[in-house]
Every structure is written in structure tokens, then in C-alpha cells.
């Protein structure tokens, strides 16, 4: 279920409709802002996800509702994961787990974020390793060419 949320995206048309609907509201409630931010973090575009995260951060800072605080942290973790900001996502999730250690949904997301972080880290190491190997081959080739000239 958790990975489905991380891999779920909103179409540009649906996002445009959500934005237009939200912009018609003069004084949006916390719930309306939350729902709009939720649509934003479902985008494939980084700037739109960041816009959603900004709304969630403001909601978190200004709400007195503990459930709203938990939910904004959870969805900020999803947004951060979509941006590959795994450490930040884990911090948000750990904040929830400090208060609700038995929260299975949060625990599942925590495991998934760790899995993605390790996977991306291994891929990153592979890319760096390949680049280093190519560079080494180039240096060896250059050295061999210089020795051949002597």
C-alpha cells in the first residue's frame, strides 16, 4: 500500500482542476489546504511537489490538531521520498513513531523509504564506480600512449 502511494501520480489536467478549485476559495480551511497539498505532492514535477510540501509545513506549524500534525508529517515524508530526500523523510516518520510507535502505516513507509534509499545508494555507487573505471582506463591509455612515444 505504501509503495503505491509513492508511485501514484495525478494527471496535469486533474492537478489544474484542483488548483482552479482551490483558488476559488477565499479563506480555505485547514482541511481544504491539506487536500490541495495532497494533490500537489502527487505530481511528477519537483516544483509542484515542493509547493505541496510548503503548504504542509505551514499547516504543521499553525495547527493545534494533533491528528493534522501527524498527517502532515506523514505526507511530507511521502513528498520528500518522491524528491529522493530520504533522510528528511525518515526524520518526519521518526517524529511520528516517537509518539505512536505502533503505527503500522508509518512503520511500513519507514521500511519502504529505507529500501529506496539503499537501492538508490547502490545505483549511485554503481554509477560512480563505472565513472571511476572509465577514468582509470583513460588514464592507463594515456600513460601507455606516452610510454609508446618514448
Amino acid at each position: 500500500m505504501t509503495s503505491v502511494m509513492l508511485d501514484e501520480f495525478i494527471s496535469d489536467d486533474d492537478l489544474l482542476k484542483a488548483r482552479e478549485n482551490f483558488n476559488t476559495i477565499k479563506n480555505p480551511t485547514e482541511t481544504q489546504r491539506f487536500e490541495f497539498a495532497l494533490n500537489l505532492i502527487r505530481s511528477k514535477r519537483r516544483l509542484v511537489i515542493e509547493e505541496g510540501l510548503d503548504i504542509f509545513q505551514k499547516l504543521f506549524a499553525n495547527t493545534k490538531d494533533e491528528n493534522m500534525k501527524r498527517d502532515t508529517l506523514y505526507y511530507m515524508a511521502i513528498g520528500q521520498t518522491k524528491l529522493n530526500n530520504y533522510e528528511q523523510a525518515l526524520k518526519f516518520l521518526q517524529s511520528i513513531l516517537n509518539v505512536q510507535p505502533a503505527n503500522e502505516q508509518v512503520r511500513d513507509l519507514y521500511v519502504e523509504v529505507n529500501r529506496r534509499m539503499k537501492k538508490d545508494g547502490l545505483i549511485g555507487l554503481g554509477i560512480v564506480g563505472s565513472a571511476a573505471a572509465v577514468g582509470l582506463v583513460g588514464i592507463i591509455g594515456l600513460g601507455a600512449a606516452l610510454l609508446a612515444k618514448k
Side-chain angles (χ1 to χ4, degrees):
M1 168 83 174
T2 297
S3 63
V4 170
M5 294 182 79
L6 290 170
D7 298 326
E8 178 184 312
F9 298 99
I10 189 170
S11 71
D12 287 339
D13 287 341
D14 288 343
L15 183 58
L16 181 61
K17 288 175 192 169
R19 187 178 296 281
E20 288 171 349
N21 287 337
F22 183 75
N23 288 336
T24 64
I25 304 168
K26 290 184 181 178
N27 293 310
T29 65
E30 280 186 348
T31 301
Q32 291 167 322
R33 285 181 287 167
F34 180 91
E35 290 171 357
F36 180 57
L38 189 55
N39 280 317
L40 294 173
I41 68 161
R42 291 176 49 221
S43 175
K44 289 184 178 183
R45 292 179 293 172
R46 182 176 194 86
L47 289 175
V48 176
I49 295 170
E50 289 171 349
E51 181 184 358
L53 289 170
D54 185 54
I55 294 170
F56 278 135
Q57 288 171 341
K58 289 175 183 168
L59 279 169
F60 180 83
N62 295 315
T63 190
K64 293 179 180 10
D65 181 342
E66 292 302 315
N67 289 327
M68 178 67 75
K69 283 189 181 287
R70 179 201 59 223
D71 292 347
T72 57
L73 282 173
Y74 181 80
Y75 287 106
M76 283 193 292
I78 288 178
Q80 292 293 350
T81 302
K82 286 184 171 190
L83 297 176
N84 298 330
N85 297 333
Y86 302 120
E87 289 182 19
Q88 186 62 50
L90 292 172
K91 287 178 186 177
F92 290 142
L93 295 170
Q94 190 59 56
S95 294
I96 300 170
L97 290 172
N98 288 341
V99 178
Q100 297 178 346
N103 187 318
E104 288 298 319
Q105 184 180 21
V106 174
R107 290 170 64 158
D108 289 347
L109 182 56
Y110 193 93
V111 168
E112 179 63 19
V113 171
N114 269 309
R115 186 190 71 75
R116 288 177 185 228
M117 185 168 62
K118 287 176 185 167
K119 178 182 160 215
D120 285 359
L122 291 176
I123 291 170
L125 287 175
I127 292 169
V128 169
S130 296
V134 168
L136 183 60
V137 168
I139 291 170
I140 292 171
L142 178 62
L146 291 174
L147 286 175
K149 285 188 174 183
K150 285 188 174 184

